[in-house]
Amino acid sequence: MRTFLLFLYLLPLVSFAQEKREKYEFYKDFPVYADSIIASLDYPMAWGNSPVRDFNAWKEAARQKVLDCMMAPPPRAASFDCKLIAEEKRDGYTAQKIELSLSRWYRVSAYLLVPDKKKGRLPAINLLHDHGAHLFIGKEKMIEPVFEDSVVKADARQWADLLYDGVFVGDMLARAGYVVICADAPMWGERGRQEGVDRKRYDLIAGNMMMYGRDLSAFMTYDDIALTDFLATLPVVDKSRIGCFGFSMGGYRSWMLAALSPHIKASAAVCWMVTTDVQMTWRYGRKENGGFANCIPALRQYLDYPHIASLACPMPMLLVSGAQDKLFPQPGVEKAFGIMHDVWRSQGAEQNLTTVTLDMPHHCGKKVQAMVLRFFNNNL
């Protein structure tokens, strides 16, 4: 008995990492039958595949299917109960840090930029931050930090230099006359872990959320919808001229928000569009490292990414990709763009969809930012 107990004690010290079995079922983080799964995905609710031929009726049914797959939403609070935390005057606009209830369960910090008062109500942008496997900051990636410590400010500056050519995109839009709001997504910035940042814990937490019958990625989108609803209530905002914009995961959030929120009138997304058959196979040396950040269970059985984005048709939409972007292989990007153009064309609105591929990596520099600003100036 003592020998057996000693064996149990020593068992954790034994490494089995290099042991392999002759037979296996998974290869390079995929099931060996991944191609069979992909071949089975016929997207029966996509426009053109669905038996529904009335476009508005299709949008209603497909949108509801997306929401069903997103599982239960967080319950809305009776009011947003917005509180001003800090405020500072900047060149041509005022920057605020606010806190509001996006749900009965939690309150969220956000930055709100309000241009100096002009006549009438102003167009507005819900600005959606990226993933970058960097969770310490969220809203601070897009807007120069308001009322934050020196560590957060330095991190935000380094991130802006790395991916945005040194520009805080939200501040740029505010100087151009747009009301801008940006909040942390769940697990980023002030919505992270008490114990500190650990990228590996993201997937574990997402798994725990699923055990509650909730989806962490869906909560991100539900919060984006709620924050847009809040933006539409502001007296300074023209609720008929609200847009959304993001890069990388923020691009995914942008077209998801455009597909699901009635308040969005124009959407811009940079470096996030692809088809599942290209994204989820080892053939292109790529897998979904973003993990649960865009994982909505069962949705692929009905709609692919470009089909969901097409729920925004016929609204104006800009999608920018990078020919050197290793995260999104060009065959999948081009296929997705083609699907979306077919949808906009079917509704006589192809002029409202702009897809551009630039000779760049996964990046959102000044050239892209200027393109996005022109897009919003023309459509909001």
Side-chain angles (χ1 to χ4, degrees), residues 130 141-142 159-160 162-167 169 247 363-364 369:
D130 60 67
K141 295 178 178 183
M142 309 302 288
W159 198 254
L162 178 66
L163 289 174
Y164 299 94
D165 283 353
V167 176
V169 177
F247 159 69
H363 194 68
C364 187
Q369 295 166 27

Side-chain angles (χ1 to χ4, degrees), residues 37 49 94 112 146 164 167 173 180 202 204 211 215-216 223 226 260 281 305 320:
I37 295 177
N49 295 344
T94 298
L112 178 66
V146 183
Y164 299 94
V167 176
L173 290 169
V180 180
Y202 184 102
L204 294 174
M211 295 299 288
D215 179 72
L216 186 59
D223 287 349
L260 298 175
T281 176
Y305 301 118
V320 181

Side-chain angles (χ1 to χ4, degrees), residues 218-235:
F219 267 44
M220 178 173 67
T221 298
Y222 282 129
D223 287 349
D224 291 342
I225 294 170
L227 191 66
T228 307
D229 291 346
F230 168 74
L231 192 58
T233 69
L234 297 180

Side-chain angles (χ1 to χ4, degrees), residues 228-271:
T228 307
D229 291 346
F230 168 74
L231 192 58
T233 69
L234 297 180
V236 72
V237 170
D238 181 348
K239 64 181 181 180
S240 70
R241 292 191 291 158
I242 297 177
C244 55
F245 167 52
F247 159 69
S248 195
M249 182 185 76
Y252 165 86
R253 296 169 66 189
S254 184
W255 53 254
M256 280 290 287
L257 180 58
L260 298 175
S261 171
H263 288 302
I264 297 298
K265 306 303 179 186
S267 167
V270 177
C271 291

Side-chain angles (χ1 to χ4, degrees), residues 19-21 73 107-108 139 179 204 225 265 276 279 283 293 311 313 319 343 367-368 376-377:
E19 293 192 348
K20 299 179 182 180
R21 298 294 297 268
R107 290 176 63 77
V108 173
K139 59 189 179 297
V179 176
L204 294 174
I225 294 170
K265 306 303 179 186
T276 296
Q279 178 195 42
R283 187 176 303 131
L311 289 170
C313 178
L319 293 105
V343 176
K367 180 178 179 179
V368 176
F376 284 129
N377 287 343

